[in-house]
Amino acid sequence: MNITKIRADFPSLEVGNGRKPVIYFDNACQTLRPRQVIEAVQRYYQEFPACSGRSMHRMATEVTREVDQAREKVAKFLNAGRKEEIIFTRNTTEGVNLIASALNWKAGDVILVSDKEHNSNLIPWQMVAKRHSAILRVVHTRADNTFDMEAFEQALKAGPVKLVAMGYTSNLDGVTIPAAEIVKRAHQQGALVFLDAAQTIPHQRVNVRALDVDFLAFSGHKMMGPSGTGVLYGKYRLLEQLEPFLVGGDTVSSSTYETCQFLPPPEKFEAGLQDYAGIIGLAAAVQYIQSIGFDTIEKQERLLNEFLSEGLEEIPGVRLIGPSDPRLRSGIVAFYIEGVDHHRIALMLDQMANIAVRSGQHCVHSWFNARGVAGSVRASVYVYNTLEEAKLFLDSLIKIRKVL
């Protein structure tokens, strides 16, 4: 693997012309974008900035073809059964809300979530419980934040569970749940399964048919794709049964003043003009990830996480979040220091060495509030990050710790 060659694809990492080198360790928020993605977006605006599926002229035909090809590429990327199982959204959050709004709920339906869900996979289910008198049940993880299968099985058997909705990989600590086993056991109890795969898709191969998952969502901005793009995957037979979430142009084949005829999936879920440039850019991101390969991505993340974790353990007062084994935390290293403001640490890293990390509660307020932890610093790495950057991060943190 040639990291130097990979890094050359990212304009944000270029130095010179007075630019200070940036160490970008905020990849769990969003990744940087390679030239291949940027150029794909630019090509739409420069060559065929028109509507898809509406007009008959050459530019419109080109957009329609590009969007269709993008859907096909994403379907193959996930090993979906057919391209019509791919719905383009703005992000994971929209995918979650689509399912929350489209499923047929009744009083007493049970929804299972874990105790460290991102707000995007918690608040929509809270709203379902409030609006439909459903029951939201939380499955607690073990002390080290790893998944507790026994607790999950007990929750499954405690009532008529309609939906299991869980983060595939946690943005808090990088821990991946045993998704295939969760899906299997949920189906045995007659429950549907939705996976928030925003933190999984960029880092490891996901085969939706092998998982047998019912619904899965992810965002483009976390996988080197454009902001404002995402995907909701759903088994086609289930998508056919769902009512549309947003309605209007492009969702119907015909209408009268009183009625309308909805198109089949995915069209009935993609109301109005879409972000065609973003969709084309998302397909370019898929191709870029495939060109690098998940083996390369996972190897580099593991190398960096092990180096960072070992170094952090040597710094007095640092408390890592999640399991001690860095191999279980993907590319995420989250930590806090008792009595030290996590925001101040992040600001000092930025000011001292141009190191970008995230500080706060990372949209997992429920986990932090339940444990009385104010927040953490989260360093999250990706394939273009290097050991030299990781060393500078640790050296900078050691200096900060001496004065805080």
Side-chain angles (χ1 to χ4, degrees):
M1 177 182 61
N2 189 333
I3 293 294
T4 302
K5 184 175 182 297
I6 292 174
R7 287 174 65 86
D9 288 332
F10 293 84
S12 302
L13 297 177
E14 291 179 350
V15 296
N17 296 322
R19 291 183 62 180
K20 185 178 180 182
V22 62
I23 296 177
Y24 189 77
F25 279 5
D26 196 16
N27 294 284
C29 183
Q30 64 176 334
T31 55
L32 305 178
R33 280 72 168 188
R35 284 187 176 84
Q36 292 86 337
V37 170
I38 297 168
E39 289 169 358
V41 172
Q42 289 176 331
R43 188 165 63 89
Y44 166 80
Y45 287 115
Q46 291 173 348
E47 298 180 16
F48 42 89
C51 297
S52 171
R54 296 175 181 235
S55 303
M56 301 300 292
H57 54 78
R58 183 199 63 79
M59 288 200 298
T61 301
E62 182 69 7
V63 182
T64 301
R65 184 182 67 83
E66 289 276 352
V67 170
D68 187 65
Q69 287 182 350
R71 202 183 304 275
E72 184 73 37
K73 288 174 183 176
V74 174
K76 289 181 178 178
F77 183 60
L78 298 177
N79 195 33
R82 53 195 291 186
K83 65 182 179 182
E84 292 82 8
E85 294 179 325
I86 303 301
I87 299 165
F88 289 121
T89 63
R90 291 181 300 167
N91 43 46
T92 306
T93 303
E94 184 176 325
V96 180
N97 277 273
L98 193 160
I99 297 300
S101 298
L103 281 175
N104 183 25
W105 301 100
K106 62 180 185 295
D109 282 340
V110 176
I111 306 161
L112 295 187
V113 298
S114 80
D115 63 349
K116 53 178 183 175
E117 297 298 332
H118 190 286
N119 284 333
S120 292
N121 197 40
L122 175 63
I123 310 305
W125 310 120
Q126 291 179 350
M127 299 304 293
V128 167
K130 180 179 179 179
R131 291 169 179 166
H132 302 281
S133 298
I135 300 168
L136 182 61
R137 190 174 296 156
V138 178
V139 179
H140 292 276
T141 50
R142 298 190 184 99
D144 65 352
N145 270 17
T146 56
F147 193 77
D148 190 333
M149 186 61 73
E150 183 177 346
F152 174 68
E153 288 188 324
Q154 291 176 352
L156 268 179
K157 296 174 182 178
V161 176
K162 183 180 183 68
L163 180 72
V164 174
M166 293 192 174
Y168 197 162
T169 301
S170 171
N171 75 305
L172 169 68
D173 53 25
V175 174
T176 297
I177 62 175
E181 189 62 24
I182 288 169
V183 172
K184 178 182 176 181
R185 300 192 189 193
H187 285 173
Q188 289 172 347
Q189 297 296 322
L192 296 170
V193 179
F194 166 81
L195 292 176
D196 169 358
Q199 295 291 341
T200 313
I201 291 293
H203 307 284
Q204 60 181 276
R205 191 172 288 103
V206 173
N207 184 329
V208 292
R209 279 194 284 180
L211 284 172
D212 196 27
V213 65
D214 300 296
F215 306 103
L216 177 145
F218 61 93
S219 299
H221 64 268
K222 296 185 188 295
M223 54 173 288
M224 298 187 280
S227 297
T229 63
V231 168
L232 172 66
Y233 158 81
K235 291 178 178 176
Y236 193 77
R237 62 177 177 81
L238 296 176
L239 294 177
E240 286 184 302
Q241 298 169 17
L242 298 183
E243 292 294 321
F245 172 40
L246 297 173
V247 294
D250 275 359
T251 62
V252 299
S253 58
S254 183
S255 65
T256 69
Y257 290 125
E258 294 82 23
T259 64
C260 68
Q261 180 64 48
F262 284 106
L263 289 164
E267 287 88 353
K268 73 174 180 178
F269 299 110
E270 295 178 354
L273 266 69
Q274 301 297 296
D275 182 359
Y276 305 122
I279 290 169
I280 294 167
L282 179 62
V286 166
Q287 287 183 294
Y288 189 80
I289 288 175
Q290 290 173 323
S291 72
I292 295 174
F294 282 110
D295 290 343
T296 297
I297 292 172
E298 291 181 44
K299 181 180 179 181
Q300 188 67 2
E301 289 180 346
R302 189 181 312 118
L303 174 71
L304 295 171
N305 200 325
E306 289 177 352
F307 183 83
L308 288 169
S309 297
E310 290 174 6
L312 285 169
E313 288 175 356
E314 300 298 320
I315 300 176
V318 169
R319 296 191 61 179
L320 284 170
I321 294 176
S324 58
D325 187 349
R327 293 172 297 180
L328 300 179
R329 289 188 272 106
S330 183
I332 291 178
V333 183
F335 64 94
Y336 60 95
I337 302 174
E338 293 282 3
V340 178
D341 182 12
H342 47 279
H343 292 312
R344 190 175 180 189
I345 295 173
L347 284 171
M348 292 181 72
L349 285 169
D350 181 55
Q351 293 166 356
M352 289 172 55
N354 206 22
I355 298 172
V357 297
R358 182 167 174 180
S359 57
Q361 297 187 339
H362 320 301
C363 297
V364 197
H365 300 84
S366 53
W367 186 92
F368 285 94
N369 290 334
R371 289 157 180 78
V373 178
S376 75
V377 176
R378 185 184 67 190
S380 49
V381 299
Y382 204 37
V383 66
Y384 41 67
N385 292 124
T386 66
L387 279 174
E388 290 75 18
E389 291 179 325
K391 185 177 186 305
L392 183 55
F393 170 86
L394 291 173
D395 290 344
S396 300
L397 191 61
I398 289 170
K399 294 176 183 177
I400 291 170
R401 186 68 184 106
K402 289 178 179 179
V403 298
L404 294 181

